[in-house]
Amino acid sequence: MQAIPITLAIDVLNLSKKYGDVVAVDNISFKVKQGSVFAFLGPNGAGKSTTIKMLTTLLVPTNGTVTLNGFDVAKKSNEVRKNFGIVFQDPSLDDDLTAYENMELHGVLYKVDNMKERIEQLLTFVELWDRKNSPVKTFSGGMKRRLEIARGLMHHPKILFLDEPTLGLDPQTRNHIWNYISKMNREDGTTIFFTTHYMEEAEKVADEIVIIDQGKIIAQGTSTELKAKTKTNSLEDAFIDLTGHDIRPEEAPKNARMRAWHGRR
Amino acid sequence: MNTITILWLRQLKKYFRSRSRLIGSIGQPLLFLIALGFGFGPTFQAAGEGNYMNFLAPGIIAMSILFTAMFSGIEIIWDRQFGFLKETLVAPVSRYEIMIGRTLGGATIALCQGTIVFFIAMLVGFTPNLVMLPFAFVFALLISLFFTAFGTAIASALDDMQGFQLIMNFLIMPIFFLSGALFPLKDLPEVIYYITLIDPLTYGVDGLRGTLGAVTQFGLLTDFTVLGIATVITLAVGSYLFSRIQV
């Protein structure tokens, strides 16, 4: 009998990024199966966002290869870009445009079919339809976040990258959004790759977890395996056991995240 | 709608929604026209050079196009800072399309700006020759395209906001003051004259001046050729630098 080949959504091999002498990502390799929910965890400054930038064609790696749904990120960047959607950690909306215009711009860039219906559906889902004609600069942080998520989902990506997607959202909204993302994963087979500092989120939804610290992968497995390995009862305890208790230094402009991080501890 | 159109439209919407930018971009040229036009007019006339307002207005139109176009190009720095640039860079469209959409948007705004200043100048005494107006429009378009692409090229190579002041002081201002926008190029000291020759805006100002009724220094064909070639080169270099941006 012939084995059915399992296509990988993401295949990362010996990936590194150096800035001068600083090694942001240090020779990491991992695989993400199609249709899985994959959590990429690590303390601040561990190299998560740098890795995501390399996976999503925004940054050229110093070393190593990345393959997304069979396409080499370095050689077939346009094919790769058709395959994924991303919700960035930092805002990436145009504040001068309205919510609707931001969605429309995305729809045109990605050639989304039935764009109007799709925009209405998603803006209704994130409860921004009645604010569709307001400029984004009048939105609160949480509203912007919801709009970014709606936009990232718009073109039915096969792989969805979510870099701290629920940061700054209340529990109701977080729950609402995770339900939708889980549904996409179940029904459309969308592969989910996400980072978060909410360990209970990762524990609840992730099939597979990778923990990165100081640019290196230090642990990998299911939530159950990581807890068993560290003899702890929750993923949060396992995470702290693996990465230590020290609070990580961070760049100045991102101090908002730093405060959020302190607040949770 | 396609990528180029939607990015072009975005630039226009942003421009017409920013009231402070609109007012500022009208106020400054008006001040220059009034202060310099009426201030130097009598001396210029007495020196036998003719009507200074007719000489100055094309220079001020070129100035407002220069400022608006460069600013639109440099807006990439803002888009990078506030994150929007990433949204376009991960999209499955070629970076050349993004660059073209942005550049056409910036150039269109600059053209609108030049047109507004043209009418303002007429209000304060500018009497242009309207026969050559379509040709003046071609020169205005070339200046707009050149400086939007130039701003894009520079902003693509920079990665922070600090660069902006530097560009403003050491690039835009010299380009403006050394272009002959305010004074005739003939009879200049030799060194200054050769410096003005390497300033691309010099040919834009001269072309505008020639088509709007005053005398040209180099002739319209030379102006068109130099500016045209410079624009093509700058568009190519700008596209290349833009295509290599990493976030």
Side-chain angles (χ1 to χ4, degrees):
Chain A
M1 242 176 78
Q2 212 175 355
I4 301 159
I6 301 166
T7 321
L8 292 169
I10 305 172
D11 190 357
V12 173
L13 195 65
N14 303 328
L15 189 67
S16 296
K17 182 71 192 177
K18 294 193 185 87
Y19 294 99
D21 289 340
V22 182
V23 184
V25 174
D26 190 1
N27 196 26
I28 63 170
S29 302
F30 59 85
K31 296 176 196 310
V32 180
K33 288 192 211 91
Q34 276 186 348
S36 63
V37 179
F38 185 91
F40 193 55
L41 308 178
N44 287 329
K48 299 189 296 292
S49 290
T50 307
T51 304
I52 289 190
K53 281 179 184 172
M54 289 192 281
L55 301 191
T56 55
T57 75
L58 283 174
L59 196 60
V60 178
T62 311
N63 262 315
T65 57
V66 179
T67 315
L68 250 65
N69 272 355
F71 296 107
D72 187 324
V73 169
K75 291 174 194 140
K76 298 269 181 198
S77 53
N78 227 35
E79 286 305 319
V80 167
R81 287 176 186 142
K82 282 180 198 159
N83 272 273
F84 72 82
I86 179 163
V87 175
F88 294 103
Q89 176 182 298
D90 308 316
S92 64
L93 300 161
D94 188 328
D95 274 8
D96 293 326
L97 299 182
T98 66
Y100 192 92
E101 286 167 340
N102 268 287
M103 293 292 277
E104 191 183 29
L105 207 151
H106 186 89
V108 171
L109 292 182
Y110 285 82
K111 300 176 180 65
V112 172
D113 296 329
N114 302 321
M115 187 161 73
K116 283 187 180 138
E117 292 76 21
R118 186 77 181 138
I119 294 175
E120 179 169 356
Q121 180 197 353
L122 282 165
L123 285 183
T124 308
F125 163 70
V126 294
E127 292 171 3
L128 288 173
W129 182 245
D130 55 335
R131 294 293 304 274
K132 62 179 186 292
N133 294 324
S134 308
V136 171
K137 63 181 156 210
T138 64
F139 283 14
S140 69
M143 289 162 83
K144 287 184 187 175
R145 208 78 207 122
R146 272 144 56 198
L147 180 58
E148 297 227 22
I149 290 167
R151 189 180 65 177
L153 302 175
M154 195 172 166
H155 58 283
H156 301 284
K158 295 193 188 82
I159 304 171
L160 183 59
F161 289 95
L162 302 160
D163 197 357
E164 298 189 31
T166 51
L167 184 69
L169 297 178
D170 61 30
Q172 287 84 350
T173 313
R174 276 164 57 191
N175 195 37
H176 186 55
I177 282 168
W178 272 117
N179 283 340
Y180 190 88
I181 293 170
S182 300
K183 192 170 152 237
M184 274 179 78
N185 171 254
R186 274 195 320 274
E187 292 176 2
D188 307 337
T190 310
T191 308
I192 312 291
F193 181 105
F194 74 103
T195 74
T196 184
H197 284 317
Y198 299 99
M199 291 301 139
E200 70 281 7
E201 237 171 36
E203 192 162 9
K204 207 162 108 189
V205 301
D207 305 323
E208 176 89 7
I209 296 167
V210 155
I211 297 178
I212 179 173
D213 195 10
Q214 290 165 350
K216 291 192 172 82
I217 291 177
I218 55 166
Q220 185 164 9
T222 64
S223 169
T224 318
E225 285 165 4
L226 292 175
K227 282 185 282 188
K229 186 180 165 192
T230 54
K231 300 186 178 65
T232 49
N233 294 321
S234 71
L235 186 61
E236 176 132 1
D237 290 338
F239 180 82
I240 289 173
D241 191 79
L242 287 161
T243 57
H245 283 268
D246 296 343
I247 293 169
R248 304 312 163 99
E250 220 193 343
E251 295 165 58
K254 288 171 186 160
N255 56 3
R257 276 194 297 135
M258 184 89 152
R259 279 198 297 277
W261 172 241
H262 280 295
R264 271 194 303 280
R265 302 194 59 158
Chain B
M1 220 186 308
N2 62 31
T3 304
I4 293 175
T5 318
I6 193 106
L7 289 172
W8 172 79
L9 198 60
R10 166 179 179 259
Q11 302 278 107
L12 262 65
K13 282 178 182 166
K14 283 170 79 80
Y15 180 71
F16 287 107
R17 278 175 200 175
S18 165
R19 209 166 298 153
S20 59
R21 226 175 122 184
L22 267 170
I23 293 167
S25 60
I26 292 168
Q28 193 188 30
L30 187 63
L31 178 69
F32 270 77
L33 283 169
I34 291 174
L36 298 177
F38 294 118
F40 288 125
T43 318
F44 199 76
Q45 191 99 41
E49 299 283 350
N51 182 332
Y52 186 53
M53 192 58 90
N54 283 352
F55 178 88
L56 177 70
I60 300 301
I61 293 169
M63 173 196 85
S64 65
I65 294 176
L66 162 75
F67 282 24
T68 315
M70 280 291 272
F71 192 85
S72 296
I74 293 171
E75 250 183 341
I76 288 176
I77 300 180
W78 267 255
D79 281 346
R80 188 198 284 263
Q81 196 86 355
F82 297 116
F84 179 77
L85 190 65
K86 282 185 292 195
E87 156 73 1
T88 53
L89 296 186
V90 292
V93 292
S94 108
R95 292 223 177 156
Y96 298 109
E97 282 178 74
I98 302 173
M99 157 80 183
I100 291 167
R102 295 187 69 113
T103 307
L104 289 179
T108 307
I109 296 166
L111 260 182
C112 292
Q113 184 65 43
T115 310
I116 294 170
V117 175
F118 174 80
F119 287 115
I120 291 178
M122 286 180 74
L123 286 178
V124 294
F126 175 43
T127 49
N129 171 9
L130 298 177
V131 180
M132 299 276 276
L133 207 55
F135 296 99
F137 201 74
V138 170
F139 277 104
L141 179 67
L142 280 179
I143 304 172
S144 305
L145 280 174
F146 176 86
F147 285 105
T148 312
F150 192 51
T152 306
I154 292 168
S156 301
L158 288 174
D159 52 6
D160 62 23
M161 305 279 275
Q162 269 81 40
F164 180 66
Q165 277 305 325
L166 227 61
I167 296 171
M168 202 62 203
N169 292 328
F170 292 100
L171 219 52
I172 301 186
M173 286 306 176
I175 286 174
F176 166 56
F177 282 111
L178 296 170
S179 67
L182 305 177
F183 46 79
L185 295 179
K186 58 171 183 166
D187 308 330
L188 280 181
E190 211 166 323
V191 178
I192 308 285
Y193 181 72
Y194 286 118
I195 293 174
T196 62
L197 289 188
I198 54 166
D199 181 348
L201 189 64
T202 301
Y203 304 92
V205 169
D206 198 52
L208 275 182
R209 204 166 267 155
T211 47
L212 291 174
V215 285
T216 85
Q217 177 78 17
F218 311 110
L220 292 180
L221 191 64
T222 308
D223 290 333
F224 178 80
T225 311
V226 173
L227 199 57
I229 291 171
T231 304
V232 171
I233 293 172
T234 313
L235 278 169
V237 173
S239 302
Y240 172 74
L241 290 173
F242 185 79
S243 75
R244 288 173 49 94
I245 292 183
Q246 294 189 47
V247 177

